[in-house]
Structures are given as C-alpha cells and as structure tokens.
Amino acid sequence: MDVRGSWERTARGAMLLGDDGRLRPTIFAEMSALATATGAINLGQGFPDEDGPAEVLEAARQAISDGLNQYPPGRGLPVLRTAIAEHQERFYGIRVDPDRDVLVTAGATEALAATVLALTDEGDHVVTFEPFYDAYAAVTALARAELITVPLRSPGFSPDLDALRDAVTDRTRIILVNSPHNPTGSVLDREALELIVELAHEHDAVIVTDEVYEHLTFGVEHIPIASLPGAAERTITISSGGKTFSTTGWKVGWLVAPPHLLEPVLAVKQYLTYVNAAAFQPAIAAGLRLPDRYFESAADALRRKRDILSSGLSAAGFAVGAPDAGYFVIADAAPLGAEDAAAFCRSLPELAGVVAVPVTAFVRDENRAHYASLVRFAFCKREDVLDRAAAQLASLPR
Ligand SMILES: *Cc1c(COP(=O)(O)O)cnc(C)c1O
C-alpha cells in the first residue's frame, strides 16, 4: 500500500524530509539523543530543569484529590477562563468575557494548529517572521496554506518593515506574530505592531499572536498587539502556562479572541483533542492569580541566567547578542571558524560537552545562508548547570 502523498507535502512543509525523501528526526530529537548518548549538557530544547511555583504544583495535586479527573468543559474550566480574563485586564487593561472570548487548549501548540486549520483554505497565505517557531511551518503545511516569511536579521533581529509591507497582500489570511520571539529573543516595538494592525485592516487579514513568553522579558515592555486601537476585533491572542510557570509538560494553553474568530477555532479544536489537562487547569488558574512579585522574580531569575550563559559564550569567542526576552540566546560561531552551525552543533558535545541547535532549524531551506553560522542556546537551566556549560565552552579551540 502506498501511503505517501498528502503527508509528504506536510512533512516537506514541516522541513521533515531529508534529501533522500525519507522522514528525518527533528533537530531537537537528534540533538537530545546526542545529549543523552554523550552525557553533554542539553542546552538544545527549551524546557526548565527546575520546578515552578509550589502553589501551582500543590493546586494540581489538590485538584486530583478533589476528583477533577474527568473531561472538563470544551472551552475549559470556568475557574481558568476567569483567571485568564482577569490576567488580561490586570496586566494589559484588556477586558474580555471569560464565557465568550476565552478558549483553553492543549498548549499554545493546539491553539496555533486549530487556528490555522480553522481560518485558512488551501493556498491562503500565512505571513510570519523568519526564523520562526518550528510548528508554524508544519501547521501551515497541514492546512495546505502557504507560509510567507519576512526576515529578522542579526544583529538585533528586528523586522524589515518594508519587507513586511511587501509580504502582506490580499491573499494573506493570517499575519502570525510571535513576540517575545523564539528563537531570537527579540520583542516587537509599537511601530512594528501598529504596522501589522494597519496591514491587517488594509488586506482584511486576521492577526494571530503567540505570546507564550509574555512575562519573561528583560527590561523591555511587552505590548500585546490586541491592546492597540482597532486590533482586538481581528486578533487571536495565544499564550500558555508552560513557559511562565515552568510547567511545559502540562500543556495548558489558551486563546483570547472575539466570538466570530473563536468559534471556528473551537469547532476544529473539538476534534483535535476535545479537551485536556483537567487537573492542571485550576493549577494554572492559581498561577495566573499569583501576585506581581512572582512574575517579576521569574523574569529576573531568567535574566541572570541569560547573563551567565551570554558572558560564557562571549568569553568562549562567540559573537553574542543580548536577547530582550524568552529562554534563548543566539550566538554566532563564525568567530570560532565555524561557518556551518549544523555541523558545529553535531561536534559540540564532543568538543565542549554541550548541546545546542543551529538556527537554520527555524529557517526555510532557501534562506539558510543568512543564518548559517548561528547557534541557539537555551538558558532556562539551573545556574550551576549554566556555570558548568560556560566553563566547558571556554575550552573550545579558537
Ligand atoms: C514553547 C513554545 C510554544 C508551545 O507552547 P505549548 O504551550 O508547550 O504548546 C509555542 N510557541 C512558542 C514561540 C514557543 O516557544
């Protein structure tokens, strides 16, 4: 039986097909396997190695004891939808109705997938910045839509606004924004956000914004695009508890959107997972209700981690930027004589006992040359682990 065909387009869109036409493991799987095999420090995948706030963990245990172990409502438990609505008002002054404008999802990933599947037809354009979070290419290909990319170039990784203007046309169905951004750690400023809103109006596009790092910024302001004039009515705001509360394995995400956008997404979401994570939903609600000082200290702790790893990387000879947010720092290996970051990352466990991923994993094949020597390192790890990684990287030949 020939089962190739439709999946092939998806796999190619998701950049999962090798030159031999076979499915290849994602770079994350390959690099994590390498970390396990060599005992190297895994700064490849972005997950924290410490638990999040005790209150949040305890609330999940309590919910299981209380018997919250069956299917929750399709839109999510009221306690979490209310906490999400309160969070939007408390941090951003955005007022939403928890019963009509909020949908709980299986992580930000399901919110993204259901949104793209619900809102695009074959051939529609999804415009996003490149490099991009790997799921964007995959879900766009699943939907048979076309991903159009606008470059973010080092240093600084700010967007080329003229290129953005050119990229958005009447074929654009979705402008997919990710700020704070993975993998670059850049944060879009008001000017860029205003242009996105203007272009969305001009071409009747929907703005989809992935804000999973909304609380993890280092001294710069995160502006939710839905807070700009004229934006909320055409914006789907996606976030998740995973990054904010160091609970990436719980997969509690959500989206906030007006009903005319939310309902088509709910219709798709219903047949992807239907619902998930009953006992974790009240726990994330408890997290969203933590006092301001929790959110400040989480960002401060991460900023210290960024600084430890960044100074280690520059001492080792990399050219390093200063990410404004998120879990990752991008380092240029060219000063170390490494022009091919993918090959460099394969040898890094051997050379320094550290695993990282090449930025080309977040870039389409035709644009790889612009990012060829760039490496993404995760700093969401214990300080002693980062100190050790920095010491080991210092021994790299140069
Ligand atoms: C981690 C991450 C996600 C996935 O979030 P989940 O809640 O784990 O599904 C989505 N977007 C970006 C940019 C991320 O870094």
Side-chain angles (χ1 to χ4, degrees):
M1 184 170 66
D2 186 7
V3 296
R4 300 177 78 84
S6 82
W7 73 269
E8 221 178 87
R9 205 188 125 116
T10 306
R12 190 166 294 116
M15 306 183 295
L16 288 178
L17 286 189
D19 294 335
D20 58 359
R22 286 167 164 275
L23 206 57
R24 64 182 180 206
T26 70
I27 190 80
F28 308 99
E30 185 186 342
M31 291 300 160
S32 287
L34 203 55
T36 309
T38 60
I41 300 172
N42 190 354
L43 305 184
Q45 221 176 9
F47 60 88
D49 58 358
E50 285 175 292
D51 277 334
E55 302 91 314
V56 172
L57 304 180
E58 186 48 39
R61 287 186 202 101
Q62 189 62 48
I64 291 172
S65 302
D66 290 348
L68 266 177
N69 300 307
Q70 311 308 328
Y71 299 126
R75 287 175 186 251
L77 285 173
V79 63
L80 177 54
R81 283 188 278 113
T82 303
I84 291 163
E86 286 171 6
H87 168 276
Q88 295 306 97
E89 175 144 31
R90 169 178 156 202
F91 287 99
Y92 310 124
I94 298 174
R95 301 194 69 158
V96 295
D97 180 342
D99 295 327
R100 290 158 39 96
D101 306 330
V102 179
L103 176 64
V104 176
T105 57
T109 306
E110 190 196 29
L112 280 160
T115 295
V116 174
L117 288 168
L119 300 186
T120 59
D121 285 322
E122 182 162 357
D124 283 350
H125 288 184
V126 175
V127 173
T128 201
F129 294 108
E130 183 173 35
F132 47 78
Y133 184 63
D134 56 348
Y136 298 178
V139 298
T140 303
L142 271 174
R144 305 285 186 258
E146 195 179 333
L147 193 69
I148 306 291
T149 59
V150 176
L152 301 170
R153 295 264 161 81
S154 67
F157 298 105
S158 51
D160 179 337
L161 297 186
D162 291 326
L164 176 63
R165 260 192 210 91
D166 291 343
V168 180
T169 68
D170 289 345
R171 290 185 69 187
T172 305
R173 191 77 184 106
I174 291 175
I175 306 176
L176 177 47
V177 183
N178 173 212
S179 180
H181 188 256
N182 174 7
T184 68
S186 62
V187 177
L188 290 179
D189 63 14
R190 197 172 289 275
E191 185 195 357
L193 295 171
E194 281 172 351
L195 176 62
I196 291 164
V197 177
E198 183 190 315
L199 292 169
H201 274 274
E202 197 176 314
H203 298 284
D204 198 23
V206 176
I207 300 165
V208 177
T209 170
D210 173 349
E211 303 186 355
V212 301
Y213 298 102
E214 61 187 317
H215 288 292
L216 304 177
T217 58
F218 315 135
V220 301
E221 188 192 7
H222 163 64
I223 306 169
I225 195 165
S227 69
L228 298 187
E233 72 218 40
R234 54 175 66 244
T235 298
I236 297 181
T237 301
I238 293 172
S239 194
S240 163
K243 307 289 161 61
T244 302
F245 304 113
S246 298
T247 51
T248 59
W250 289 8
K251 297 296 280 189
V252 177
W254 56 87
L255 62 85
V256 176
H260 73 277
L261 294 177
L262 184 146
E263 273 155 27
V265 180
L266 172 59
V268 172
K269 181 259 185 301
Q270 211 152 23
Y271 296 104
L272 291 177
T273 58
Y274 175 43
V275 291
N276 76 306
F280 296 126
Q281 292 189 20
I284 294 298
L288 291 171
R289 289 179 165 142
L290 287 171
D292 289 359
R293 95 184 106 75
Y294 168 73
F295 296 89
E296 286 154 15
S297 69
D300 286 348
L302 203 55
R303 182 188 199 145
R304 279 196 305 279
K305 292 167 189 274
R306 173 198 71 173
D307 293 344
I308 293 170
L309 186 62
S310 298
S311 41
L313 288 165
S314 34
F318 292 87
V320 190
D324 283 328
Y327 274 2
F328 307 104
V329 58
I330 289 182
D332 192 343
L336 290 164
E339 296 299 334
D340 177 352
F344 178 76
C345 286
R346 286 192 183 91
S347 65
L348 199 55
E350 173 102 359
L351 291 174
V354 170
V355 163
V357 293
V359 171
T360 47
F362 307 92
V363 168
R364 296 201 304 182
D365 287 350
E366 61 269 32
N367 295 326
R368 285 175 161 226
H370 299 292
Y371 305 92
S373 61
L374 302 181
V375 181
R376 189 193 79 168
F377 290 86
F379 52 76
C380 50
K381 308 292 175 183
R382 292 197 320 264
E383 289 190 15
D384 64 295
V385 172
L386 297 173
D387 284 334
R388 200 148 45 82
Q392 291 173 200
L393 288 163
S395 68
L396 277 175
R398 41 211 286 204

